[in-house]
């Protein structure tokens, strides 16, 4: 395991608009607030975070591949790619790092096309519908998995 433990935080397409548009769905906090929250949460456990947001699938995939070298796990909100992207799923599966999937909104109560996730079964931690605070829980739960406190199974969505 890299020392200190480093996490990759990935935010997918359009999440750069956090806090700017649709506050009724996604809240008022910005992407910078999310990145700071994850950084502070990880730091409480002595871990570091590298953050990336991109609107381009290939950029996200390159960042995930690079994480294989020096990260112990990935916290990801794939945005709309959650529901469409086999290649993002393959990248996450290919690097074989533990993954925490986060969604700010409760996708299960939104449009039917948001109910399916290509990422779900390659992630060991799932946090859905807890707002931006869900990133902090995902970070803690992922660090628990990395540190061997849990295998994450009890957090899996059936
Ligand atoms: O709830 C989530 O976190 C989502 O991953 C957000 C995605 C959506 O496609 C997923 O179904 C659920 C959308 C990200 C776009 O974020 C925006 C933020 C502010 C304003 C507009 C879009």
């Amino acid at each position: 395991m890299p020392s200190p433990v480093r996490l990759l935080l990935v935010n997918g397409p359009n999440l750069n608009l956090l806090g700017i548009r649709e506050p009724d769905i996604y809240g008022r906090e910005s992407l910078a607030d999310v990145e700071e929250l994850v950084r502070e949460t990880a730091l409480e456990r002595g871990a570091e975070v590298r953050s990336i947001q991109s609107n381009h699938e290939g950029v996200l995939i390159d960042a995930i591949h690079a994480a294989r070298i020096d990260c112990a796990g990935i916290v990801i909100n794939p945005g709309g790619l959650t529901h469409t992207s086999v290649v993002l799923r393959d990248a996450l599966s290919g690097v074989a790092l533990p993954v925490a999937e986060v969604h700010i909104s409760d996708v299960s109560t939104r449009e039917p096309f948001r109910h399916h996730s290509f990422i779900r079964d390659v992630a060991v931690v799932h946090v859905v519908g807890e707002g931006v605070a869900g990133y902090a829980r995902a970070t803690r739960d992922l660090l628990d998995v990395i540190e061997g406190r849990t295998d994450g199974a009890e957090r899996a969505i059936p």
Side-chain angles (χ1 to χ4, degrees), residues 12-23 25-27 77-83 102-107 110-111 113-114 128-129 135:
N14 300 308
L15 285 158
N16 54 311
L17 297 176
L18 276 179
I20 300 170
R21 301 283 311 275
E22 304 192 47
I25 301 175
Y26 299 115
N77 182 344
L81 293 175
T82 306
H83 320 297
V102 189
H103 297 287
I104 298 167
S105 64
D106 183 355
V107 283
R110 296 182 65 191
E111 305 94 320
F113 66 82
R114 296 187 200 275
V128 175
Y135 284 85

Side-chain angles (χ1 to χ4, degrees), residues 124-138:
V124 291
V125 170
H126 307 88
V127 180
V128 175
E130 296 187 12
V132 159
Y135 284 85
R137 190 158 82 79

